[in-house]
C-alpha cells in the first residue's frame, strides 16, 4: 500500500526481542547466510534489504526467476524509466478506468509507485546499467488501471460486477501468470473474491501488501482474503510500520510474513526518473515476497502454488527457531527467508493452501473447489416417438392377404373389383380399448 513516513516503532519489547533473536539466530544457520554487500549497492545506500535477504547469493546459484511469469497490478507506470531498462516487461492497459491514463512519462505519485514496485522485482540499481532486483530473469506483465487519484480507478465496477483490480486478476490468470503481486488495498464487491477463487483454483499465487496506517484497515481486499500471501513491512531492525499518530505499530493480525519495506531506496524521484528516493511501506514488501516465490518456482517448477506457500511459511526465521504464527504483534510466520525456501523441498508439503482460515471467510474452500467443477448438463426430457409414416407401397402391401401360420387361412380379403362379396359373411368384431389414467398417476412430466 502507499508509502507512509517512517517513525520509530513502539511494538512490545517481547515481540521485538523474540523476532530479533529469531532473525539473528537464523543468520548463523547455513541456509540463511548473508552474503557480502554487492558493489553496486553503493549507488543505492539504502539497499539494506539486498544483502539481508541473500539475493546476490541466490543469483550466483542461477536462481533469478528465469521463465517465471509475474503479474503486477498497479495504477500507472512508466515502462521507459531508467530503473526498468532491460527488464522483460509488458504493459496491459485494458483495464484503465474511464479517461485516466495508465502509461505516463510524468513523475506522478501513481507512476512512481508503479515503477518502484516493479524495479524491486527486476532492477532497483538501474542508473549504472547493473542488473538488480530480486527476480531480474522473470517475465513481468503490468496491469494498469489508471491514476489512483481518479475516483473510478480501483473501486470502479464493470459490467461483470468486478472492480478493475478483480478483472485484472482474472486476465492475469488467463494470461498464464504464476504469481500476482498487488500493492494496493480496496473495498471490493463479492465478485472480486470470486476472481481470487479463480486464481487459487488455477494454481496462481496471489501476494498482497497490507495496511500502513490505521486509516487503511478497512481496505480488506486482497490482504484479508483467504489464500492470499499477506505481507507487512519491517525495517532493518525488524520494526513494523507505526501509526500516523506515533501511538504504536500497525498490526494486521492475519499477516502471513514480514519483509523489508522501510527505508527502501528506489530510482525515480519527483520530476526526475533518474533521481534516487527512499520510501516506506508494504508496497515494497509485497513484490520482494513475490520475487522470493518466483525464484523458488524456478528451482522447483513442478511444485504447486500451494506447496510453495507451504514452503514459504515453514522456512522463515521464526519457523526455523520453533516459533509459531504471531497473530498478536503482526509478524505472522516471521521474516521471509529466500535462502530457506531455496534450501527446502516444497514437494514434501501437502498441496493445500494453508491460508484459508482468515476471519473474513472469503473466498471459501468450497468457492475455490467449485471453480473448475463441470457444469452439469441437464438430461433431455423424454418425448413420445412419432408414429412411422408408411409409403403408398407399404400401405398396399399391408392390405394384401397374409398367410397364417401352418398354412391356415388368413384374414378374409375385401374384394374390391366387381362388387362381389364372398359367400359366407365373416363377422368382424372391433373392440375399442380406452386408456384411462389410473388413480394416483401424475398429470405432469419430469
Amino acid at each position: 500500500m502507499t508509502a507512509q513516513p517512517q517513525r520509530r516503532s513502539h511494538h512490545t519489547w517481547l515481540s521485538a526481542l523474540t523476532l530479533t533473536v529469531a532473525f539473528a539466530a537464523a543468520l548463523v544457520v547455513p541456509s540463511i547466510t548473508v552474503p557480502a554487500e554487492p558493489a553496486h549497492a553503493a549507488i543505492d545506500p539504502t539497499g539494506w534489504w539486498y544483502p539481508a535477504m541473500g539475493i546476490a547469493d541466490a543469483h550466483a546459484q542461477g536462481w533469478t526467476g528465469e521463465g517465471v511469469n509475474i503479474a503486477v497490478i498497479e495504477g500507472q507506470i512508466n515502462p521507459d524509466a531508467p530503473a526498468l531498462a532491460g527488464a522483460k516487461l509488458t504493459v496491459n492497459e485494458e483495464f484503465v478506468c474511464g479517461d485516466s491514463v495508465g502509461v505516463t512519462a510524468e513523475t506522478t505519485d501513481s507512476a512512481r509507485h508503479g515503477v518502484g514496485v516493479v524495479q524491486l522485482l527486476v532492477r532497483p540499481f538501474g542508473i549504472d546499467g547493473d542488473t538488480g532486483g530480486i527476480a531480474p530473469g522473470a517475465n513481468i506483465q503490468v496491469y494498469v488501471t489508471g491514476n489512483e487519484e481518479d475516483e473510478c480507478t480501483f473501486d470502479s465496477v464493470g459490467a461483470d460486477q468486478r472492480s478493475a483490480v478483480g478483472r485484472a486478476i482474472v486476465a492475469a490468470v488467463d494470461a498464464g501468470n504464476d504469481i500476482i503481486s498487488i500493492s494496493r488495498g480496496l473495498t471490493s464487491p463479492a465478485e472480486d473474491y470470486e476472481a481470487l477463487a479463480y486464481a487459487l483454483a488455477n494454481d496462481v499465487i496471489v501476494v498482497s501488501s497490507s495496511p500502513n496506517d490505521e486509516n487503511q484497515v478497512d481496505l480488506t481486499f486482497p490482504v484479508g482474503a483467504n489464500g492470499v500471501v499477506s505481507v507487512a513491512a519491517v525495517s532493518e531492525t525488524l520494526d513494523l510500520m507505526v501509526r500516523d499518530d506515533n501511538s504504536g505499530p500497525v498490526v494486521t493480525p492475519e499477516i502471513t510474513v514480514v519483509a523489508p519495506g522501510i527505508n527502501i531506496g528506489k530510482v525515480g524521484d519527483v520530476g526526475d526518473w533518474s533521481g534516487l528516493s527512499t520510501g516506506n511501506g508494504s508496497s515494497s514488501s509485497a513484490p520482494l515476497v513475490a520475487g522470493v516465490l518466483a525464484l523458488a518456482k524456478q528451482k522447483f517448477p513442478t511444485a504447486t502454488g500451494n506447496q510453495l506457500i507451504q514452503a514459504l511459511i515453514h522456512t522463515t526465521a521464526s519457523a526455523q527457531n520453533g516459533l509459531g504464527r504471531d497473530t498478536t504483534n503482526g509478524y505472522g510466520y516471521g521474516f521471509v527467508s529466500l535462502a530457506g525456501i531455496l534450501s527446502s523441498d516444497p514437494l514434501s508439503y501437502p498441496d493445500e493452501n494453508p491460508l484459508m482460515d482468515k476471519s473474513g471467510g472469503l473466498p471459501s474452500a468450497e468457492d475455490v473447489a467449485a471453480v473448475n467443477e463441470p457444469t452439469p448438463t441437464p438430461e433431455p426430457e423424454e418425448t413420445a416417438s412419432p408414429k412411422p409414416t408408411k409409403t403408398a407401397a407399404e400401405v398396399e402391401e399391408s392390405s394384401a392377404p397374409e398367410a397364417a401360420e401352418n398354412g391356415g387361412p388368413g384374414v378374409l380379403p375385401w374384394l374390391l373389383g366387381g362388387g362381389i362379396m364372398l359367400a359366407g359373411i365373416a363377422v368382424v368384431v372391433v373392440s375399442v380399448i380406452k386408456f384411462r389414467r389410473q388413480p394416483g398417476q401424475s398429470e405432469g412430466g419430469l
Side-chain angles (χ1 to χ4, degrees):
M1 298 189 180
T2 54
Q4 300 291 330
Q6 182 188 2
R7 295 180 177 87
R8 182 182 178 185
S9 173
H10 288 178
H11 59 70
T12 64
W13 68 270
L14 179 59
S15 63
L17 177 61
T18 302
L19 269 294
T20 303
V21 170
F23 184 54
L27 293 179
V28 302
V29 178
S31 63
I32 313 292
T33 303
V34 177
E37 187 171 348
H40 58 265
I43 298 174
D44 180 9
T46 57
W48 67 268
W49 56 273
Y50 198 93
M53 295 183 71
I55 295 173
D57 188 48
H59 289 177
Q61 297 175 41
W63 311 124
T64 62
E66 188 73 29
V68 179
N69 301 316
I70 305 175
V72 177
I73 300 178
E74 276 292 323
Q76 291 183 312
I77 195 167
N78 176 13
D80 297 323
L84 304 182
K88 301 174 183 178
L89 178 69
T90 59
V91 180
N92 185 317
E93 298 182 80
E94 180 181 354
F95 306 104
V96 171
C97 175
D99 296 328
S100 186
V101 176
V103 174
T104 180
E106 296 182 12
T107 57
T108 64
D109 289 344
S110 181
R112 290 173 58 231
H113 186 278
V115 170
V117 166
V118 175
Q119 68 176 278
L120 290 170
L121 282 166
V122 293
R123 182 187 281 269
F125 308 109
I127 292 181
D128 64 350
D130 290 341
T131 298
I134 190 169
N139 304 310
I140 309 296
Q141 184 167 23
V142 182
Y143 292 79
V144 287
T145 58
N147 193 329
E148 62 187 36
E149 295 179 358
D150 296 337
E151 292 182 1
C152 65
T153 302
F154 293 104
D155 293 324
S156 62
V157 176
D160 60 359
Q161 299 304 304
R162 294 192 181 102
S163 71
V165 172
R167 298 196 298 276
I169 289 173
V170 173
V173 174
D174 291 340
N177 286 284
D178 303 295
I179 301 165
I180 300 175
S181 180
I182 307 175
S183 291
R184 277 290 184 268
L186 59 154
T187 302
S188 286
E191 285 76 11
D192 277 0
Y193 290 91
E194 293 176 3
L196 277 180
Y198 183 69
L200 300 179
N202 284 281
D203 199 34
V204 177
I205 302 173
V206 180
V207 182
S208 171
S209 60
S210 61
N212 291 321
D213 191 32
E214 58 185 358
N215 62 6
Q216 298 177 339
V217 295
D218 61 329
L219 305 178
T220 57
F221 184 89
V223 61
N226 276 342
V228 172
V229 178
S230 306
V231 188
V234 292
S235 67
E236 190 170 4
T237 55
L238 296 182
D239 290 333
L240 289 168
M241 293 290 296
V242 297
R243 301 183 180 126
D244 276 346
D245 61 5
N246 206 30
S247 61
V250 179
V251 175
T252 303
E254 295 174 315
I255 210 71
T256 306
V257 292
V258 297
I262 297 176
N263 196 30
I264 302 298
K266 300 174 184 178
V267 181
D269 203 351
V270 177
D272 182 8
W273 282 113
S274 297
L276 291 175
S277 60
T278 302
N280 305 315
S282 60
S283 288
S284 297
S285 309
L288 290 179
V289 172
V292 167
L293 290 163
L295 269 59
K297 179 66 177 177
Q298 179 194 4
K299 184 174 182 180
F300 307 102
T302 61
T304 67
N306 291 338
Q307 289 174 320
L308 291 174
I309 294 175
Q310 292 270 10
L312 178 76
I313 67 175
H314 283 94
T315 58
T316 63
S318 297
Q320 291 190 21
N321 287 277
L323 299 178
R325 181 181 178 186
D326 179 5
T327 60
T328 302
N329 302 299
Y331 286 90
Y333 290 97
F335 191 89
V336 64
S337 173
L338 173 60
I341 194 172
L342 292 177
S343 300
S344 70
D345 179 13
L347 296 174
S348 65
Y349 295 108
D351 185 11
E352 300 174 357
N353 192 308
L355 308 176
M356 297 298 293
D357 59 348
K358 297 184 182 180
S359 59
L362 294 175
S364 66
E366 292 75 20
D367 293 334
V368 176
V371 169
N372 293 324
E373 287 183 357
T375 303
T377 303
E379 296 182 2
E381 294 185 3
E382 294 184 3
T383 56
S385 300
K387 294 182 179 180
T389 302
K390 292 184 178 181
T391 64
E394 290 174 330
V395 171
E396 183 177 352
E397 181 180 350
S398 66
S399 301
E402 294 184 11
E405 290 184 4
N406 300 324
V411 177
L412 294 177
W414 295 97
L415 298 178
L416 301 178
I420 303 174
M421 298 186 67
L422 290 173
I425 299 174
V427 180
V428 179
V429 179
V430 179
S431 300
V432 179
I433 303 174
K434 294 183 179 180
F435 289 90
R436 297 181 179 177
R437 188 176 303 281
Q438 299 299 316
Q441 280 191 300
S442 172
E443 290 287 342
L446 295 178

